[in-house]
Amino acid sequence: MADHVEQQDQAQAQAQAQAQDQIATLLDVDYRHLRTQPSADNVSEIGTIVDVDGEGSKKDKEKEIDGASDHIVVDWDGPDDPQNPKNFPESKKWMIAMTMSLFTLMSALASSMVAPAASQIAEDLNITATVEIAMTLSIYVLAYAVGPLFLGPLSEVYGRVIVLQLANMTFLVFNLVCGFATNKGEFMAFRFLSGLGGSAPLSVGGGMLSDLWNADKRGKAISVYSLAPLLGPAIGPIAGGFIAQYSKWQWVFWSITVANGVVQVLGFLLMRETYAPVLLKRKAKKIRGLLDAEKGASTDKIKTIYEEGQPEESWREFLVRSLVRPFVLFVEEPIIQLFGVYMAFVYGVIYIVLTTLPDIYTNVYDEPIGIVGLHYISLGIGLIAAAQTNSILIDRSYRKLTERNGGVGIPEFRLIPIIPGTLGLPFGLLIGGWTAANHTHWIGPDIGFFLIGYGSASVFQGLQAYIIDSFSRFAASALAAVSCFRSLAGFGFPLFAPYMYSALGYGKGDTILAAFCLGVGTPALILFWLYGEKIRGMSKRARATVQATKAATKAA
């Protein structure tokens, strides 16, 4: 009997020692230095206090803590911890970023591929009102305004990947059933719900890039990611036009569903969680589980570095606070307000082009619908040209200006390369509008659409990079606030565009849009280049992000 008890004691002691070693490994400390004897009661006598100096730069120090204040703060195991997404191999980072861009591209394709088939859909489903016909396209974009407001914050609670995957499944299902709609009510409802799911990449993508790269290296990734939501609307109608001409409109939706199914499988295989607070929570949970294996061990004082110093709150309070964050950012942050208005206008212009291009080449140039779709190539070439140019210039200029600034980078350094590019938008509107109004050669409007594509991509790439740099930790919520306003414009602009062009013609109508671009867009960027640091100084969130970046630069 005594031998049996002794064996049990030895087994228990061995299990405790194993758990202690695992805890020591997770905390990156020698557990023998944390205790006076191998007892679980001594685990809470030590805390790992971590000073966060910025993105990816951390200093760890061990300090004994007495009595009521003893706790364990969980952070990365030093600045080179391979579990930190910023330390992932470049190949892994780009694998995640490119997969994310594919999700974004699928969603963007679904937004515009239906444009050439809108007349067929209207005929089959008895849609007669001009506004309702336009809504077959734009109601999807209306969902883009709603989805990011809760999907972005949810990604900052549960992680990027789980939100993206579940939302994309929603997109896949409802995009599929759009092809089975038998009346306009069903079609509009299914289209809106598919847009809700399809908005997830727009909500999560920018935050994921912020998770993976530091400010001086993320410009190229942002350029690639920013291209997808613009390139989709450019190439989608090309395929949609030929499908509408040679098949039935239902295959517009079914073909996207097949392609998105392939991307969904790639996501399951290649995507990895990147949000640091969620990853550290998982690490803390693992530590709690190991401590639970040691009887009498306390687990209620284990926190991540992101929870340290934060008031205790329930899960419900935390979720509510996260969900209202995009609204708070939009109300309180002048950066979000001004850039949100300008990006909304640019996005609205893109959707005006998407909806009016078929009318121009069908009514003015008498081309068949399949050939009409090919003119979207000019818009796509402009988008790709801007992406290739800015992917090089944004990072290169950022690094050079950072060196001149004593090694400290600021978000305003993102703006210089894109200011000339933004002039393409108003000049493209003028060329496209007046060449169509005067029935010139068909290449005239295409030149205008090329410049519109180039200018639009430049605006999106630069401003998204600026917002991510200014609000790194809450990049998903910040982009959600901007995306909401932007998508409302994408929904509303195509509804009034037919009436504007009917009353004013293409030339005068596009001149009004170009005047707004010249009067608001370029001056706004110059204003932020000159006074952006002072404007950010009025924001505690943007100020904290830049202070962290400066500290990280000095530490490096």
Side-chain angles (χ1 to χ4, degrees):
M1 183 69 178
D3 291 341
H4 181 67
V5 172
E6 184 177 353
Q7 290 176 354
Q8 284 186 329
D9 290 342
Q10 289 176 351
Q12 184 176 2
Q14 186 177 5
Q16 289 177 347
Q18 289 176 349
Q20 291 163 0
D21 289 339
Q22 288 177 290
I23 295 167
T25 300
L26 285 169
L27 294 176
D28 196 28
V29 295
D30 187 348
Y31 193 83
R32 291 171 298 176
H33 295 164
L34 308 187
R35 54 185 171 84
T36 58
Q37 54 183 335
S39 168
D41 295 334
N42 294 318
V43 173
S44 61
E45 292 176 6
I46 195 76
T48 304
I49 308 303
V50 186
D51 296 327
V52 179
D53 292 333
E55 298 181 47
S57 175
K58 298 175 172 61
K59 296 178 180 178
D60 299 327
K61 57 182 179 179
E62 300 170 18
K63 178 180 178 182
E64 294 196 7
I65 303 174
D66 56 15
S69 64
D70 54 351
H71 60 291
I72 295 175
V73 178
V74 180
D75 196 5
W76 304 117
D77 298 338
D80 300 319
D81 187 348
Q83 299 302 314
N84 185 344
K86 285 189 168 63
N87 296 326
F88 285 173
E90 283 297 306
S91 59
K92 186 175 182 179
K93 291 181 181 180
W94 277 105
M95 178 182 68
I96 295 172
M98 294 304 294
T99 307
M100 165 60 68
S101 295
L102 285 176
F103 277 106
T104 310
L105 180 62
M106 289 297 104
S107 176
L109 283 173
S111 73
S112 61
M113 200 166 166
V114 68
S119 59
Q120 293 182 8
I121 295 171
E123 182 179 352
D124 281 4
L125 301 181
N126 291 324
I127 304 174
T128 56
T130 303
V131 171
E132 290 181 338
I133 294 174
M135 282 183 66
T136 60
L137 173 71
S138 61
I139 195 169
Y140 182 92
V141 186
L142 177 62
Y144 275 13
V146 179
L149 294 177
F150 64 89
L151 293 175
L154 285 176
S155 76
E156 294 168 348
V157 177
Y158 298 107
R160 315 292 194 194
V161 174
I162 185 65
V163 171
L164 177 66
Q165 296 282 22
L166 291 177
N168 191 65
M169 286 298 296
T170 303
F171 163 60
L172 190 151
V173 170
F174 284 104
N175 188 72
L176 174 67
V177 298
C178 278
F180 296 100
T182 57
N183 56 66
K184 67 180 180 182
E186 289 179 358
F187 182 84
M188 296 293 186
F190 294 155
R191 186 95 167 114
F192 179 82
L193 292 172
S194 67
L196 281 181
S199 68
L202 302 177
S203 314
V204 176
M208 186 170 278
L209 300 183
S210 177
D211 299 338
L212 290 169
W213 280 281
N214 289 322
D216 60 335
K217 297 179 180 179
R218 72 168 69 110
K220 183 180 293 186
I222 291 175
S223 296
V224 173
Y225 165 72
S226 300
L227 178 64
L230 299 174
L231 187 59
I235 65 177
I238 299 173
F242 283 105
I243 292 174
Q245 184 172 348
Y246 296 108
S247 183
K248 55 184 182 179
W249 63 265
Q250 286 87 346
W251 273 105
V252 171
F253 298 96
W254 296 340
S255 60
I256 295 174
T257 301
V258 172
N260 189 48
V262 175
V263 173
Q264 180 76 15
V265 172
L266 289 176
F268 282 127
L269 296 175
L270 303 178
M271 295 292 283
R272 297 294 182 270
E273 184 54 59
T274 63
Y275 192 49
V278 168
L279 291 173
L280 290 177
K281 279 185 178 181
R282 293 176 184 175
K283 184 176 179 180
K285 183 179 180 180
K286 188 173 182 180
I287 294 173
R288 292 188 188 99
L290 293 170
L291 286 173
D292 284 337
E294 301 186 56
K295 295 181 180 178
S298 174
T299 63
D300 59 349
K301 293 185 178 180
I302 299 176
K303 293 184 176 182
T304 70
I305 186 63
Y306 295 99
E307 296 169 324
E308 178 70 2
Q310 298 296 322
E312 294 289 340
E313 59 184 357
S314 67
W315 174 85
R316 180 175 296 180
E317 291 171 335
F318 178 70
L319 184 61
V320 170
R321 178 166 60 86
S322 299
L323 290 174
V324 301
R325 188 180 294 123
F327 299 98
V328 174
L329 286 170
F330 192 82
V331 171
E332 295 183 353
E333 301 293 347
I335 298 171
I336 301 295
Q337 293 164 2
L338 183 56
F339 284 177
V341 170
Y342 184 41
M343 291 177 75
F345 175 80
V346 173
Y347 203 64
V349 167
I350 291 174
Y351 273 86
I352 285 179
V353 171
L354 294 175
T355 54
T356 58
L357 187 149
D359 291 335
I360 290 174
Y361 284 102
T362 301
N363 299 327
V364 177
Y365 295 96
D366 297 321
E367 294 181 351
I369 191 168
I371 301 300
V372 167
L374 294 176
H375 290 282
Y376 286 97
I377 294 176
S378 60
L379 183 65
I381 292 174
L383 296 168
I384 294 172
Q388 293 298 315
T389 304
N390 292 327
S391 66
I392 298 172
L393 293 181
I394 289 178
D395 272 347
R396 182 178 295 176
S397 65
Y398 185 89
R399 285 193 290 266
K400 287 185 177 181
L401 291 171
T402 297
E403 290 174 3
R404 295 180 187 176
N405 197 38
V408 178
I410 57 175
E412 284 72 32
F413 293 163
R414 301 288 189 191
L415 300 179
I416 288 296
I418 69 167
I419 290 176
T422 58
L423 295 175
L425 185 58
F427 285 114
L429 285 166
L430 291 172
I431 293 172
W434 285 107
T435 52
N438 289 286
H439 297 205
T440 65
H441 190 274
W442 57 262
I443 197 67
D446 276 347
I447 293 172
F449 296 145
F450 167 83
L451 292 173
I452 290 172
Y454 190 93
S456 300
S458 296
V459 169
F460 272 77
Q461 290 167 339
L463 297 193
Q464 286 202 138
Y466 187 97
I467 291 169
I468 290 171
D469 284 359
S470 298
F471 304 95
S472 289
R473 183 181 172 190
F474 301 118
S477 290
L479 291 176
V482 172
S483 179
C484 174
F485 207 56
R486 180 184 75 192
S487 300
L488 287 173
F491 167 72
F493 275 40
L495 301 184
F496 74 76
Y499 301 101
M500 178 182 73
Y501 288 128
S502 176
L504 301 176
Y506 293 116
K508 292 180 181 178
D510 282 353
T511 299
I512 293 174
L513 299 177
F516 184 90
C517 288
L518 287 172
V520 175
T522 305
L525 298 182
I526 297 174
L527 174 69
F528 266 85
W529 166 250
L530 296 174
Y531 304 107
E533 193 163 6
K534 292 183 180 179
I535 296 173
R536 284 186 291 101
M538 295 184 283
S539 164
K540 64 179 182 180
R541 299 177 188 87
R543 187 170 62 246
T545 296
V546 174
Q547 287 173 349
T549 303
K550 289 180 179 179
T553 304
K554 292 178 181 178

